[in-house]
Amino acid sequence: MIYNLGAVGRSFGTQASATVALKNLTLDILPGEHVALLGPSGSGKTTLLRLLNASIFPTSGRLLYSGADPSTMTQAELRRMRRRIGCVYQQHYLVPGMSALRNTLSGALGRWGIAATLRNLIQPSSIEVERAHHCLESVGLQDKMQARCDQLSGGQQQRLAIARTLMQQPEVLLADEPVASLDPVLSDEIVELLVRVAEEGHMVLLISLHDVGLARRHSNRVVGLREGEIAFDMPTCALSEDFLEQLYDRPRGFQPAGATPPVLLEVQGGFDGTDASRTRSCLR
């Protein structure tokens, strides 16, 4: 198991005036899963991803990464853990004046020690350059290796950000609204690219999205967050309009009226997020 969350909560501020971002999250993420996080703005998706990359820690409950608790790790252990987790954001955080190749090489900084960093900043090793070439080829930028980052289009810059993340050689890929600023066609291409590189690298993929269509086309599991809690957790093929209405439009506590459609029978016990994380297939 890659992630195991048990009754995880996260608050910000002082005890007297705390803002609760997440509460009572119980969630398992298994190797090879492609999970889409859905939910309205402010539902806690970004906070959850920050917990998963160990940039913040739970204020209640327990989060384990590959069986270890990041909140009890030393700084050296945390650095090793974070190197295994690649992150892609809406903002690219690239260096505008550097070439695509140099930006990609910077993804390896976490793997290099001080001496290797200084050496590779001046003259990258042939092994690292070859690896960067492969990463750029993987995202379709093999003909842009020497182009300055600020000469690339928005879609190309997002591809470059993915190449830089691949240079990190992660086992988990976390993407926080990576296509929010792109048009629908480019959005579909970028999410499809993330799925492909995750499959090729045998990585877990968790991607936060506002576009339900993208989640349906490119994930095999969906987790819905509402007001900091899990509203549902199910295989993508079981996601119905009733569940989406509950997530985005209906008041808390709404459940679809009438009989449960056959396709949802296997996940109906997990509407509150407690059981469905163990379910990976739909009834046919």
Side-chain angles (χ1 to χ4, degrees):
M1 187 177 300
I2 301 297
Y3 287 107
N4 172 247
L5 282 68
V8 165
R10 174 66 200 195
S11 301
F12 296 94
T14 64
Q15 187 173 3
S17 59
T19 298
V20 178
L22 296 173
K23 47 191 171 183
N24 199 37
L25 261 64
T26 297
L27 187 69
D28 294 340
I29 305 295
L30 304 180
E33 288 196 300
H34 299 158
V35 183
L37 301 177
L38 298 177
S41 297
S43 60
K45 299 189 300 296
T46 295
T47 301
L48 175 56
L49 291 175
R50 292 181 65 198
L51 285 171
L52 296 179
N53 70 12
S55 59
I56 59 174
F57 303 109
T59 48
S60 62
R62 186 183 69 173
L63 185 154
L64 299 180
Y65 175 79
S66 294
D69 186 344
S71 66
T72 65
M73 292 179 180
T74 65
Q75 287 300 311
E77 290 170 336
L78 271 176
R79 285 193 295 271
R80 286 194 294 270
M81 172 194 165
R82 289 167 178 158
R83 286 199 294 265
R84 298 160 65 188
I85 302 171
C87 299
V88 178
Y89 304 97
Q90 179 181 350
Q91 299 297 323
H92 308 132
Y93 301 112
L94 300 166
V95 182
M98 286 197 339
S99 68
L101 179 60
R102 288 281 181 177
N103 269 286
T104 302
L105 283 165
S106 70
L109 290 174
R111 293 190 285 105
W112 297 339
I114 295 177
T117 297
L118 293 174
R119 183 175 62 253
N120 281 291
L121 286 175
I122 299 170
Q123 183 61 51
S125 71
S126 58
I127 293 176
E128 296 292 359
V129 170
E130 183 179 352
R131 184 175 289 125
H133 282 184
H134 176 72
C135 292
L136 286 165
E137 289 170 1
S138 296
V139 301
L141 291 178
Q142 60 270 22
D143 60 339
K144 299 292 184 180
M145 293 186 185
Q146 299 305 324
R148 281 170 49 114
C149 173
D150 51 12
Q151 296 174 339
L152 302 178
S153 67
Q156 289 171 333
Q157 288 185 17
Q158 189 59 290
R159 287 173 178 270
L160 178 55
I162 295 171
R164 180 189 57 194
T165 302
L166 293 179
M167 191 70 185
Q168 187 179 329
Q169 298 179 303
E171 66 178 14
V172 173
L173 194 55
L174 305 178
D176 189 9
E177 296 292 347
V179 296
S181 61
L182 301 179
D183 65 53
V185 173
L186 279 176
S187 296
D188 201 81
E189 291 178 359
I190 292 298
V191 176
E192 184 177 9
L193 172 62
L194 285 168
V195 171
R196 178 173 60 78
V197 297
E199 289 177 344
E200 291 175 350
H202 306 289
M203 291 180 277
V204 167
L205 172 64
L206 287 95
I207 180 169
S208 169
L209 294 167
H210 279 301
D211 189 326
V212 174
L214 288 173
R216 280 178 160 150
R217 289 192 296 275
H218 300 296
S219 67
N220 54 28
R221 177 181 171 194
V222 286
V223 174
L225 292 179
R226 183 178 175 87
E227 297 180 20
E229 296 184 276
I230 294 180
F232 56 75
D233 178 359
M234 62 180 64
T236 306
C237 53
L239 184 62
S240 72
E241 293 305 314
D242 286 332
F243 283 100
L244 292 173
E245 287 179 11
Q246 184 272 339
L247 184 66
Y248 289 105
D249 301 320
R250 302 297 180 90
R252 176 172 294 281
F254 169 81
Q255 293 192 29
T260 304
V263 73
L264 298 179
L265 286 176
E266 194 173 354
V267 296
Q268 59 184 351
F271 190 83
D272 62 355
T274 57
D275 297 316
S277 62
R278 298 175 178 84
T279 303
R280 299 296 177 263
S281 62
C282 293
L283 296 178
R284 294 297 181 184

